[in-house]
Amino acid sequence: MAVTRVCFVCLGNICRSPTAEGVFRHLVDEAGVSAAFEIDSAGTAAYHEGEPPDRRSTAAAASRGVHLGGRARQFRREDFARFDHVLAMDQQNRDALQQLAPDAPSRAKVRLLRDLDPSSEPGSEVPDPYYGGPQGFDIVFDICMAACGRLLAELQDTDGR
Ligand code: 4NP
């Protein structure tokens, strides 16, 4: 079976992208199609390399029945060869990824996660919750749930799953 490889990318890889990864993995498992996907997340920065997801993100997700795992790592140029879809959480990270991309086909793999959700304005971002209160983490979760649902629908459609 062909596997579709998806990577979610934020700045630190401890808040937003692990949330998107966990939510997407949850939706894929629920849909019974986990064998058809490889799912990962990474950060454009290396500040938090090796750390687990922020406990505030883990708590927000756990309260909705979603487990977050993994360890933070930096997105590398070689990752463009591995992933089919690279979903950026905000414009700064989208721009950083497009600059890192080795060629035009790689650049074309990069999109804003919220651009998958037709109820968001084009160019919408997943807001960075790191320096804010706990409600920011719930907002991130809700945004990821909406966009990841659309992402799964799009990929099941285009890949015939
Ligand atoms: P993330 O959040 O990009 O969603 O993982 C952040 C985590 C850490 C920092 C900024 C954003 N930081 O500046 O350390």
Side-chain angles (χ1 to χ4, degrees):
M1 181 194 287
V3 173
T4 301
R5 296 179 172 84
V6 180
C7 190
F8 299 94
V9 183
C10 62
L11 182 63
N13 192 210
I14 55 170
C15 300
R16 292 166 291 176
S17 61
T19 300
E21 177 189 347
V23 164
F24 189 62
R25 199 183 292 286
H26 180 83
L27 294 173
V28 162
D29 286 349
E30 267 186 353
V33 290
S34 49
F37 289 96
E38 185 180 316
I39 306 164
D40 196 11
S41 66
T44 55
Y47 319 132
H48 294 279
E49 212 145 47
E51 294 179 21
D54 189 291
R55 66 186 60 191
R56 298 166 294 175
S57 297
T58 306
S63 76
R64 316 292 192 86
V66 172
H67 171 76
L68 304 189
R71 296 273 169 175
R73 71 174 187 92
Q74 190 170 24
F75 191 92
R76 299 177 309 267
R77 183 173 276 114
E78 304 78 67
D79 285 312
F80 283 107
R82 177 175 156 210
F83 293 103
D84 306 300
H85 302 276
V86 180
L87 285 319
M89 299 297 128
D90 62 30
Q91 297 186 19
Q92 182 193 326
N93 290 302
R94 189 258 327 264
D95 294 349
L97 288 163
Q98 287 182 335
Q99 285 191 355
L100 184 67
D103 50 30
S106 298
R107 244 182 330 275
K109 295 177 179 181
V110 180
R111 288 184 288 171
L112 283 172
L113 178 66
R114 292 192 76 180
D115 280 350
L116 276 298
D117 179 0
S119 69
S120 299
E121 290 293 315
S124 293
E125 304 187 324
V126 185
D128 183 349
Y130 190 68
Y131 292 107
Q135 74 283 4
F137 292 83
D138 291 324
I139 291 168
V140 166
F141 184 91
D142 289 338
I143 290 171
C144 288
M145 185 57 84
C148 285
R150 302 306 296 227
L151 174 63
L152 179 57
E154 178 197 292
L155 296 179
Q156 288 190 298
D157 221 26
T158 51
D159 298 343
R161 301 205 166 89

